[in-house]
Amino acid sequence: MDTKKLRQKILDLAIRGKLVPQDPNDEPASVLLERIKAEKERLIKEGKIKRSKKTAKTSDTPHYENVQFEVPSSWEWTTFGSICKKLTDGSHNPPPKRSNGYTVISAQNIKNGKIIFTDKDRYTDEIGFQKENPRTQITKGDIILGIIGGSIGNVAIYDLSDPVVAQRSISIIDTYVLNIYCFYLLQSTIFQSLFLEKSIGNAQAGIYLGELDKLYIPLPPIREQNRIVSEIKRWFTLIDEIEQGKADLQTTIKQIKSKILDLAIHGKLVPQDPNDEPASELLKRINPKAEITCDNAHYQNLLFEVPQNWCWTILGKIGKWQSGSTPSRLNKNYYNGNIPWLKTGDLNDGYITHIPEYITEKALNETSVKLNPAGSVLIAMYGATIGKIGILTFPATTNQACCACKVFNVIDKEFLFFFLLSHREEFIKMGGGGAQPNISKEKIVNTYIPLPPFAEQRRIVNAVNKEFTLLDAIMESL
């Protein structure tokens, strides 16, 4: 279920007058507009507000150029400015550099319909706060709308009592009708699209206040506004519960996958077969001269005992490991060739079927970059992607942040893949907690792995794939 689309459908029905039934006893919106107009005239005469340069008048639906749909007979199309007590932007002064005082907020503080304060908040002192006239000050219940850059259309209602000052990236709105109705109205797909259409500029697009002032909106009777708001809240509460349930299920699926992998590498996912060739024989075929010791007592420092035919070894003994390199970006002859060159961001915790960047034969011959065969198992060693893994479906090179293993033919590559996946948190811990955590190739190749007989490796891989396929299908259906 796409809950985001469901929310937008509810808002779309609401602003078209189709979410709740109309009540013929409601005072029509036309009467409400006349009352607002009279109140504005009173305030103009008292000198409390100024007359708008252009006074909007209501009319029949066909006279509005950008009206996109018909509304119920008790509704009215009007301009946004005609219902506003306050429609302004924030301070145009440079943001103050203080660590405390009165909060100064911008469009960056609007996230998912709410005001979010972070450690990056800006502040102004008492003097600065007083200098900012009431035009730029936000009070509880005001609508906050992003009007500049990537935040255009982000909208919230300020629901705190603490006084704050707005920066010019947001518009402060207060209306004579229900602000909460206008809040939902502005979130609808139709009006979000209009904001993008009316924004101007390239480097830093923005919406003029004049465009907001003359924006046409559908206005229901005030009692119907209340009913609409209540119904939207009811639906959104249900959707919140669905989303929480979805998130909980996703977490549960992730935990189940982790448990499946845990059982797999402990030898508890599939039964052992005493007729399987012991893992010690696999290691002897890899290196006939190596001394193989597979009893659990010999590995007292390891975390768990393995089944009888299994054997503890290190990753360096089950394949050939090598890290990659980055050919000089200054040499244009090294790039845009026909040899795939993988960065750790291309790892997808699965089979790798696409790599966007390529290098040339010249780069392969003249630099330390190495070609890894199809079937190689990769793991990221640096930064935010540390522990991400993948399996190549074609030969490819990698950058230096990636380590690749060409597994020996007595080892199942998918078994190694699942072991690395199960061990990710340990690799992350090994990488340290710095700004750029990293694990070296040496740490990887010296990591212990419990190795089953080859036949059991295949049974484990098949069992894991079967369970993961079912869990992935459940995840995709959410």
Short mmCIF file of all heavy atoms in Angstrom, two decimals, residues 197-239:
data_model
loop_
_atom_site.label_atom_id
_atom_site.label_comp_id
_atom_site.label_asym_id
_atom_site.label_seq_id
_atom_site.Cartn_x
_atom_site.Cartn_y
_atom_site.Cartn_z
N GLU A 197 5.08 25.51 -10.38
CA GLU A 197 4.84 26.23 -11.63
C GLU A 197 5.12 27.72 -11.48
O GLU A 197 5.65 28.36 -12.38
CB GLU A 197 3.39 26.05 -12.08
CG GLU A 197 3.07 24.66 -12.61
CD GLU A 197 1.60 24.51 -12.96
OE1 GLU A 197 0.90 25.55 -13.02
OE2 GLU A 197 1.14 23.38 -13.17
N LYS A 198 4.76 28.27 -10.32
CA LYS A 198 4.87 29.70 -10.11
C LYS A 198 6.23 30.14 -9.57
O LYS A 198 6.51 31.32 -9.47
CB LYS A 198 3.76 30.18 -9.16
CG LYS A 198 2.37 30.05 -9.76
CD LYS A 198 1.30 30.57 -8.82
CE LYS A 198 -0.08 30.46 -9.49
NZ LYS A 198 -0.19 31.31 -10.68
N SER A 199 7.08 29.17 -9.20
CA SER A 199 8.40 29.54 -8.71
C SER A 199 9.24 30.04 -9.87
O SER A 199 9.13 29.56 -11.00
CB SER A 199 9.07 28.35 -8.03
OG SER A 199 9.25 27.29 -8.95
N ILE A 200 10.09 31.02 -9.60
CA ILE A 200 10.92 31.63 -10.63
C ILE A 200 12.38 31.56 -10.22
O ILE A 200 12.70 31.37 -9.04
CB ILE A 200 10.52 33.10 -10.88
CG1 ILE A 200 10.69 33.90 -9.58
CG2 ILE A 200 9.09 33.20 -11.38
CD1 ILE A 200 10.54 35.38 -9.79
N GLY A 201 13.25 31.71 -11.20
CA GLY A 201 14.68 31.70 -10.90
C GLY A 201 15.27 30.33 -11.13
O GLY A 201 14.58 29.32 -11.07
N ASN A 202 16.57 30.29 -11.36
CA ASN A 202 17.26 29.03 -11.63
C ASN A 202 18.10 28.58 -10.46
O ASN A 202 17.88 27.55 -9.87
CB ASN A 202 18.12 29.17 -12.89
CG ASN A 202 17.28 29.40 -14.14
OD1 ASN A 202 16.25 28.77 -14.29
ND2 ASN A 202 17.73 30.28 -15.01
N ALA A 203 19.12 29.40 -10.09
CA ALA A 203 20.03 29.00 -9.01
C ALA A 203 19.29 28.87 -7.69
O ALA A 203 19.55 27.97 -6.91
CB ALA A 203 21.16 30.01 -8.89
N GLN A 204 18.35 29.79 -7.45
CA GLN A 204 17.60 29.76 -6.19
C GLN A 204 16.16 30.15 -6.50
O GLN A 204 15.77 31.31 -6.38
CB GLN A 204 18.23 30.74 -5.17
CG GLN A 204 17.60 30.72 -3.79
CD GLN A 204 18.02 29.53 -2.96
OE1 GLN A 204 18.29 28.46 -3.47
NE2 GLN A 204 18.08 29.70 -1.66
N ALA A 205 15.38 29.17 -6.92
CA ALA A 205 13.99 29.44 -7.29
C ALA A 205 13.20 29.93 -6.09
O ALA A 205 13.51 29.62 -4.94
CB ALA A 205 13.35 28.18 -7.86
N GLY A 206 12.18 30.73 -6.35
CA GLY A 206 11.37 31.25 -5.26
C GLY A 206 9.97 31.62 -5.72
O GLY A 206 9.69 31.71 -6.92
N ILE A 207 9.07 31.82 -4.75
CA ILE A 207 7.69 32.23 -5.04
C ILE A 207 7.49 33.64 -4.50
O ILE A 207 7.76 33.90 -3.32
CB ILE A 207 6.68 31.29 -4.36
CG1 ILE A 207 6.90 29.84 -4.79
CG2 ILE A 207 5.25 31.72 -4.70
CD1 ILE A 207 6.00 28.86 -4.07
N TYR A 208 7.03 34.53 -5.35
CA TYR A 208 6.71 35.88 -4.90
C TYR A 208 5.50 35.86 -3.99
O TYR A 208 4.56 35.07 -4.19
CB TYR A 208 6.42 36.80 -6.09
CG TYR A 208 7.63 37.28 -6.85
CD1 TYR A 208 7.64 37.29 -8.24
CD2 TYR A 208 8.77 37.72 -6.17
CE1 TYR A 208 8.74 37.72 -8.95
CE2 TYR A 208 9.88 38.15 -6.87
CZ TYR A 208 9.86 38.15 -8.25
OH TYR A 208 10.96 38.57 -8.94
N LEU A 209 5.49 36.73 -2.99
CA LEU A 209 4.31 36.84 -2.12
C LEU A 209 3.08 37.26 -2.93
O LEU A 209 1.96 36.86 -2.61
CB LEU A 209 4.57 37.85 -1.01
CG LEU A 209 5.62 37.46 0.04
CD1 LEU A 209 5.81 38.59 1.05
CD2 LEU A 209 5.22 36.18 0.75
N GLY A 210 3.32 38.04 -3.98
CA GLY A 210 2.20 38.46 -4.83
C GLY A 210 1.52 37.28 -5.49
O GLY A 210 0.30 37.29 -5.71
N GLU A 211 2.29 36.25 -5.81
CA GLU A 211 1.71 35.04 -6.42
C GLU A 211 0.86 34.30 -5.39
O GLU A 211 -0.20 33.75 -5.72
CB GLU A 211 2.81 34.12 -6.95
CG GLU A 211 3.55 34.66 -8.15
CD GLU A 211 2.68 34.70 -9.39
OE1 GLU A 211 1.63 34.03 -9.40
OE2 GLU A 211 3.03 35.42 -10.34
N LEU A 212 1.33 34.26 -4.15
CA LEU A 212 0.52 33.62 -3.09
C LEU A 212 -0.76 34.41 -2.85
O LEU A 212 -1.82 33.84 -2.62
CB LEU A 212 1.33 33.53 -1.79
CG LEU A 212 2.52 32.57 -1.79
CD1 LEU A 212 3.25 32.66 -0.44
CD2 LEU A 212 2.06 31.14 -2.04
N ASP A 213 -0.66 35.74 -2.88
CA ASP A 213 -1.80 36.60 -2.59
C ASP A 213 -2.94 36.36 -3.58
O ASP A 213 -4.11 36.33 -3.20
CB ASP A 213 -1.35 38.06 -2.65
CG ASP A 213 -2.48 39.02 -2.28
OD1 ASP A 213 -2.72 39.21 -1.08
OD2 ASP A 213 -3.13 39.55 -3.21
N LYS A 214 -2.59 36.15 -4.85
CA LYS A 214 -3.64 35.99 -5.87
C LYS A 214 -3.91 34.53 -6.24
O LYS A 214 -4.62 34.25 -7.21
CB LYS A 214 -3.28 36.79 -7.12
CG LYS A 214 -2.01 36.34 -7.80
CD LYS A 214 -1.67 37.28 -8.95
CE LYS A 214 -0.39 36.84 -9.68
NZ LYS A 214 -0.04 37.78 -10.76
N LEU A 215 -3.35 33.61 -5.44
CA LEU A 215 -3.59 32.19 -5.67
C LEU A 215 -5.05 31.85 -5.38
O LEU A 215 -5.56 32.14 -4.30
CB LEU A 215 -2.67 31.37 -4.76
CG LEU A 215 -2.73 29.85 -4.87
CD1 LEU A 215 -2.11 29.39 -6.18
CD2 LEU A 215 -2.00 29.21 -3.69
N TYR A 216 -5.74 31.25 -6.35
CA TYR A 216 -7.14 30.90 -6.15
C TYR A 216 -7.27 29.62 -5.33
O TYR A 216 -6.56 28.64 -5.57
CB TYR A 216 -7.85 30.73 -7.49
CG TYR A 216 -8.09 32.02 -8.21
CD1 TYR A 216 -7.53 32.25 -9.46
CD2 TYR A 216 -8.89 33.01 -7.63
CE1 TYR A 216 -7.74 33.45 -10.12
CE2 TYR A 216 -9.10 34.21 -8.28
CZ TYR A 216 -8.53 34.43 -9.52
OH TYR A 216 -8.75 35.62 -10.17
N ILE A 217 -8.17 29.64 -4.36
CA ILE A 217 -8.39 28.47 -3.50
C ILE A 217 -9.89 28.19 -3.38
O ILE A 217 -10.71 29.10 -3.47
CB ILE A 217 -7.79 28.67 -2.10
CG1 ILE A 217 -8.52 29.81 -1.37
CG2 ILE A 217 -6.30 28.93 -2.17
CD1 ILE A 217 -8.21 29.86 0.11
N PRO A 218 -10.27 26.94 -3.19
CA PRO A 218 -11.68 26.59 -2.94
C PRO A 218 -11.98 26.75 -1.45
O PRO A 218 -11.30 26.17 -0.61
CB PRO A 218 -11.76 25.13 -3.38
CG PRO A 218 -10.38 24.60 -3.12
CD PRO A 218 -9.43 25.73 -3.30
N LEU A 219 -13.00 27.53 -1.13
CA LEU A 219 -13.31 27.81 0.27
C LEU A 219 -14.68 27.25 0.66
O LEU A 219 -15.71 27.67 0.13
CB LEU A 219 -13.30 29.32 0.52
CG LEU A 219 -13.46 29.76 1.98
CD1 LEU A 219 -12.23 29.37 2.80
CD2 LEU A 219 -13.72 31.26 2.08
N PRO A 220 -14.72 26.29 1.59
CA PRO A 220 -16.01 25.77 2.08
C PRO A 220 -16.57 26.67 3.18
O PRO A 220 -15.87 27.52 3.74
CB PRO A 220 -15.62 24.40 2.68
CG PRO A 220 -14.14 24.24 2.46
CD PRO A 220 -13.58 25.59 2.18
N PRO A 221 -17.84 26.47 3.56
CA PRO A 221 -18.38 27.11 4.75
C PRO A 221 -17.52 26.74 5.96
O PRO A 221 -16.89 25.68 6.00
CB PRO A 221 -19.79 26.52 4.87
CG PRO A 221 -20.14 26.09 3.48
CD PRO A 221 -18.86 25.64 2.86
N ILE A 222 -17.50 27.61 6.96
CA ILE A 222 -16.61 27.39 8.11
C ILE A 222 -16.95 26.10 8.85
O ILE A 222 -16.06 25.38 9.32
CB ILE A 222 -16.67 28.61 9.07
CG1 ILE A 222 -15.50 28.58 10.06
CG2 ILE A 222 -18.01 28.69 9.78
CD1 ILE A 222 -14.17 28.87 9.44
N ARG A 223 -18.25 25.76 8.95
CA ARG A 223 -18.61 24.52 9.63
C ARG A 223 -18.13 23.30 8.84
O ARG A 223 -17.70 22.30 9.41
CB ARG A 223 -20.12 24.46 9.85
CG ARG A 223 -20.63 25.44 10.92
CD ARG A 223 -22.14 25.36 11.07
NE ARG A 223 -22.58 24.02 11.45
CZ ARG A 223 -23.86 23.63 11.49
NH1 ARG A 223 -24.82 24.50 11.14
NH2 ARG A 223 -24.18 22.41 11.85
N GLU A 224 -18.19 23.42 7.52
CA GLU A 224 -17.70 22.30 6.71
C GLU A 224 -16.18 22.20 6.79
O GLU A 224 -15.62 21.10 6.74
CB GLU A 224 -18.15 22.42 5.26
CG GLU A 224 -17.84 21.16 4.45
CD GLU A 224 -18.48 21.15 3.07
OE1 GLU A 224 -19.40 21.95 2.83
OE2 GLU A 224 -18.05 20.33 2.25
N GLN A 225 -15.51 23.34 6.92
CA GLN A 225 -14.06 23.29 7.13
C GLN A 225 -13.73 22.44 8.36
O GLN A 225 -12.81 21.62 8.35
CB GLN A 225 -13.50 24.70 7.32
CG GLN A 225 -13.51 25.56 6.08
CD GLN A 225 -13.00 26.96 6.35
OE1 GLN A 225 -12.02 27.15 7.07
NE2 GLN A 225 -13.66 27.96 5.78
N ASN A 226 -14.50 22.64 9.43
CA ASN A 226 -14.29 21.87 10.65
C ASN A 226 -14.51 20.38 10.41
O ASN A 226 -13.75 19.53 10.89
CB ASN A 226 -15.22 22.37 11.76
CG ASN A 226 -14.65 23.56 12.51
OD1 ASN A 226 -13.64 23.47 13.20
ND2 ASN A 226 -15.31 24.71 12.37
N ARG A 227 -15.57 20.05 9.66
CA ARG A 227 -15.85 18.64 9.39
C ARG A 227 -14.75 18.02 8.52
O ARG A 227 -14.34 16.87 8.74
CB ARG A 227 -17.21 18.48 8.71
CG ARG A 227 -18.40 18.87 9.58
CD ARG A 227 -19.70 18.32 9.03
NE ARG A 227 -20.02 18.79 7.70
CZ ARG A 227 -20.64 19.93 7.42
NH1 ARG A 227 -21.00 20.76 8.40
NH2 ARG A 227 -20.92 20.26 6.17
N ILE A 228 -14.27 18.79 7.54
CA ILE A 228 -13.20 18.30 6.67
C ILE A 228 -11.94 18.02 7.48
O ILE A 228 -11.30 16.98 7.34
CB ILE A 228 -12.91 19.33 5.55
CG1 ILE A 228 -14.06 19.34 4.54
CG2 ILE A 228 -11.59 19.01 4.84
CD1 ILE A 228 -13.99 20.46 3.52
N VAL A 229 -11.58 18.97 8.33
CA VAL A 229 -10.37 18.82 9.15
C VAL A 229 -10.47 17.58 10.04
O VAL A 229 -9.53 16.79 10.15
CB VAL A 229 -10.11 20.08 9.99
CG1 VAL A 229 -9.06 19.82 11.06
CG2 VAL A 229 -9.69 21.23 9.09
N SER A 230 -11.63 17.40 10.66
CA SER A 230 -11.82 16.24 11.54
C SER A 230 -11.70 14.93 10.77
O SER A 230 -11.10 13.96 11.25
CB SER A 230 -13.20 16.31 12.22
OG SER A 230 -13.27 17.42 13.08
N GLU A 231 -12.26 14.91 9.55
CA GLU A 231 -12.21 13.68 8.75
C GLU A 231 -10.79 13.40 8.26
O GLU A 231 -10.35 12.25 8.24
CB GLU A 231 -13.18 13.79 7.57
CG GLU A 231 -13.36 12.51 6.77
CD GLU A 231 -14.07 11.40 7.55
OE1 GLU A 231 -14.43 11.62 8.72
OE2 GLU A 231 -14.23 10.31 6.97
N ILE A 232 -10.08 14.45 7.86
CA ILE A 232 -8.68 14.26 7.44
C ILE A 232 -7.86 13.70 8.59
O ILE A 232 -7.08 12.76 8.42
CB ILE A 232 -8.08 15.59 6.93
CG1 ILE A 232 -8.72 16.01 5.61
CG2 ILE A 232 -6.56 15.45 6.76
CD1 ILE A 232 -8.27 17.36 5.11
N LYS A 233 -8.04 14.28 9.78
CA LYS A 233 -7.29 13.81 10.94
C LYS A 233 -7.61 12.35 11.25
O LYS A 233 -6.71 11.57 11.60
CB LYS A 233 -7.60 14.69 12.16
CG LYS A 233 -6.96 16.06 12.11
CD LYS A 233 -7.28 16.85 13.38
CE LYS A 233 -6.57 18.20 13.39
NZ LYS A 233 -6.88 18.97 14.62
N ARG A 234 -8.89 11.98 11.10
CA ARG A 234 -9.27 10.60 11.37
C ARG A 234 -8.56 9.65 10.39
O ARG A 234 -8.00 8.64 10.79
CB ARG A 234 -10.79 10.44 11.24
CG ARG A 234 -11.31 9.06 11.64
CD ARG A 234 -12.82 8.97 11.47
NE ARG A 234 -13.20 8.86 10.07
CZ ARG A 234 -13.21 7.71 9.38
NH1 ARG A 234 -12.84 6.59 9.96
NH2 ARG A 234 -13.58 7.69 8.12
N TRP A 235 -8.59 10.02 9.11
CA TRP A 235 -7.95 9.17 8.11
C TRP A 235 -6.43 9.13 8.31
O TRP A 235 -5.81 8.08 8.19
CB TRP A 235 -8.27 9.70 6.70
CG TRP A 235 -9.56 9.16 6.16
CD1 TRP A 235 -10.77 9.79 6.08
CD2 TRP A 235 -9.78 7.84 5.63
NE1 TRP A 235 -11.72 8.97 5.54
CE2 TRP A 235 -11.14 7.76 5.25
CE3 TRP A 235 -8.97 6.73 5.45
CZ2 TRP A 235 -11.69 6.62 4.68
CZ3 TRP A 235 -9.51 5.59 4.89
CH2 TRP A 235 -10.85 5.54 4.51
N PHE A 236 -5.85 10.28 8.58
CA PHE A 236 -4.40 10.32 8.74
C PHE A 236 -3.94 9.53 9.97
O PHE A 236 -2.86 8.95 9.97
CB PHE A 236 -3.91 11.77 8.81
CG PHE A 236 -3.78 12.43 7.47
CD1 PHE A 236 -4.39 11.90 6.35
CD2 PHE A 236 -3.03 13.60 7.31
CE1 PHE A 236 -4.28 12.51 5.10
CE2 PHE A 236 -2.89 14.20 6.07
CZ PHE A 236 -3.52 13.67 4.96
N THR A 237 -4.76 9.51 11.00
CA THR A 237 -4.44 8.70 12.18
C THR A 237 -4.42 7.22 11.81
O THR A 237 -3.53 6.46 12.23
CB THR A 237 -5.45 8.94 13.30
OG1 THR A 237 -5.38 10.32 13.71
CG2 THR A 237 -5.15 8.06 14.51
N LEU A 238 -5.40 6.79 11.01
CA LEU A 238 -5.43 5.40 10.55
C LEU A 238 -4.21 5.08 9.70
O LEU A 238 -3.60 4.01 9.83
CB LEU A 238 -6.71 5.14 9.76
CG LEU A 238 -8.02 5.14 10.54
CD1 LEU A 238 -9.22 5.05 9.60
CD2 LEU A 238 -8.05 4.00 11.54
N ILE A 239 -3.83 6.02 8.82
CA ILE A 239 -2.67 5.81 7.96
C ILE A 239 -1.40 5.74 8.79
O ILE A 239 -0.49 4.95 8.51
CB ILE A 239 -2.59 6.91 6.88
CG1 ILE A 239 -3.78 6.81 5.94
CG2 ILE A 239 -1.28 6.79 6.09
CD1 ILE A 239 -3.89 7.94 4.95
#
